[in-house]
mmCIF file of all heavy atoms in Angstrom:
data_model
loop_
_atom_site.group_PDB
_atom_site.id
_atom_site.type_symbol
_atom_site.label_atom_id
_atom_site.label_comp_id
_atom_site.label_asym_id
_atom_site.label_seq_id
_atom_site.Cartn_x
_atom_site.Cartn_y
_atom_site.Cartn_z
ATOM 1 N N PHE A 99 122.998 23.969 -30.210
ATOM 2 C CA PHE A 99 124.303 23.395 -29.870
ATOM 3 C C PHE A 99 125.208 24.413 -29.185
ATOM 4 O O PHE A 99 125.988 24.054 -28.296
ATOM 5 C CB PHE A 99 124.970 22.830 -31.123
ATOM 6 C CG PHE A 99 124.224 21.668 -31.720
ATOM 7 C CD1 PHE A 99 123.738 21.724 -33.016
ATOM 8 C CD2 PHE A 99 123.994 20.522 -30.974
ATOM 9 C CE1 PHE A 99 123.043 20.658 -33.562
ATOM 10 C CE2 PHE A 99 123.294 19.452 -31.508
ATOM 11 C CZ PHE A 99 122.819 19.521 -32.807
ATOM 12 N N SER A 103 126.674 23.774 -25.496
ATOM 13 C CA SER A 103 128.118 23.883 -25.294
ATOM 14 C C SER A 103 128.448 24.876 -24.183
ATOM 15 O O SER A 103 129.294 24.616 -23.315
ATOM 16 C CB SER A 103 128.797 24.315 -26.598
ATOM 17 O OG SER A 103 130.184 24.457 -26.404
ATOM 18 N N ILE A 106 127.526 23.306 -20.819
ATOM 19 C CA ILE A 106 128.469 22.255 -20.415
ATOM 20 C C ILE A 106 129.756 22.862 -19.877
ATOM 21 O O ILE A 106 130.265 22.462 -18.825
ATOM 22 C CB ILE A 106 128.768 21.313 -21.602
ATOM 23 C CG1 ILE A 106 127.547 20.427 -21.883
ATOM 24 C CG2 ILE A 106 129.994 20.449 -21.316
ATOM 25 C CD1 ILE A 106 127.686 19.552 -23.110
ATOM 26 N N HIS A 107 130.284 23.852 -20.578
ATOM 27 C CA HIS A 107 131.535 24.476 -20.137
ATOM 28 C C HIS A 107 131.365 25.234 -18.827
ATOM 29 O O HIS A 107 132.324 25.401 -18.066
ATOM 30 C CB HIS A 107 132.068 25.421 -21.221
ATOM 31 C CG HIS A 107 132.647 24.711 -22.403
ATOM 32 N ND1 HIS A 107 133.705 23.830 -22.298
ATOM 33 C CD2 HIS A 107 132.303 24.738 -23.724
ATOM 34 C CE1 HIS A 107 133.998 23.343 -23.499
ATOM 35 N NE2 HIS A 107 133.160 23.865 -24.377
ATOM 36 N N THR A 124 130.746 14.571 -21.070
ATOM 37 C CA THR A 124 129.311 14.792 -20.872
ATOM 38 C C THR A 124 128.491 14.244 -22.037
ATOM 39 O O THR A 124 128.855 14.405 -23.205
ATOM 40 C CB THR A 124 129.024 16.298 -20.713
ATOM 41 O OG1 THR A 124 129.726 16.788 -19.566
ATOM 42 C CG2 THR A 124 127.537 16.563 -20.527
ATOM 43 N N LYS A 153 131.055 12.782 -34.462
ATOM 44 C CA LYS A 153 132.248 13.456 -33.944
ATOM 45 C C LYS A 153 132.254 14.949 -34.257
ATOM 46 O O LYS A 153 133.275 15.610 -34.090
ATOM 47 C CB LYS A 153 133.507 12.831 -34.551
ATOM 48 C CG LYS A 153 133.633 11.327 -34.322
ATOM 49 C CD LYS A 153 134.812 10.764 -35.068
ATOM 50 C CE LYS A 153 134.896 9.246 -34.926
ATOM 51 N NZ LYS A 153 136.011 8.666 -35.708
ATOM 52 N N VAL A 154 131.134 15.469 -34.748
ATOM 53 C CA VAL A 154 131.124 16.870 -35.186
ATOM 54 C C VAL A 154 130.997 17.857 -34.025
ATOM 55 O O VAL A 154 131.166 19.058 -34.207
ATOM 56 C CB VAL A 154 129.979 17.109 -36.190
ATOM 57 C CG1 VAL A 154 130.210 16.310 -37.455
ATOM 58 C CG2 VAL A 154 128.630 16.764 -35.576
ATOM 59 N N LEU A 155 130.713 17.349 -32.843
ATOM 60 C CA LEU A 155 130.594 18.208 -31.666
ATOM 61 C C LEU A 155 131.696 17.875 -30.661
ATOM 62 O O LEU A 155 132.153 16.738 -30.597
ATOM 63 C CB LEU A 155 129.232 18.011 -30.988
ATOM 64 C CG LEU A 155 128.007 18.497 -31.771
ATOM 65 C CD1 LEU A 155 126.725 18.011 -31.103
ATOM 66 C CD2 LEU A 155 127.989 20.023 -31.864
ATOM 67 N N PRO A 156 132.114 18.847 -29.853
ATOM 68 C CA PRO A 156 133.157 18.583 -28.848
ATOM 69 C C PRO A 156 132.605 17.918 -27.585
ATOM 70 O O PRO A 156 133.241 17.941 -26.539
ATOM 71 C CB PRO A 156 133.684 19.995 -28.539
ATOM 72 C CG PRO A 156 132.515 20.884 -28.776
ATOM 73 C CD PRO A 156 131.764 20.287 -29.930
ATOM 74 N N PHE A 157 131.427 17.348 -27.680
ATOM 75 C CA PHE A 157 130.828 16.607 -26.569
ATOM 76 C C PHE A 157 129.888 15.565 -27.168
ATOM 77 O O PHE A 157 129.476 15.671 -28.320
ATOM 78 C CB PHE A 157 130.056 17.546 -25.627
ATOM 79 C CG PHE A 157 129.085 18.465 -26.329
ATOM 80 C CD1 PHE A 157 127.791 18.059 -26.644
ATOM 81 C CD2 PHE A 157 129.470 19.760 -26.686
ATOM 82 C CE1 PHE A 157 126.911 18.903 -27.284
ATOM 83 C CE2 PHE A 157 128.596 20.611 -27.331
ATOM 84 C CZ PHE A 157 127.308 20.188 -27.642
ATOM 85 N N GLN A 158 129.561 14.545 -26.371
ATOM 86 C CA GLN A 158 128.617 13.539 -26.830
ATOM 87 C C GLN A 158 127.208 14.129 -26.851
ATOM 88 O O GLN A 158 126.823 14.856 -25.934
ATOM 89 C CB GLN A 158 128.635 12.330 -25.893
ATOM 90 C CG GLN A 158 129.906 11.503 -25.967
ATOM 91 C CD GLN A 158 129.983 10.753 -27.297
ATOM 92 O OE1 GLN A 158 130.748 11.137 -28.180
ATOM 93 N NE2 GLN A 158 129.204 9.698 -27.424
#
Side-chain angles (χ1 to χ4, degrees):
F99 295 120
S103 178
I106 288 175
H107 287 301
T124 299
K153 304 174 184 177
V154 295
L155 292 170
F157 50 85
Q158 290 290 105

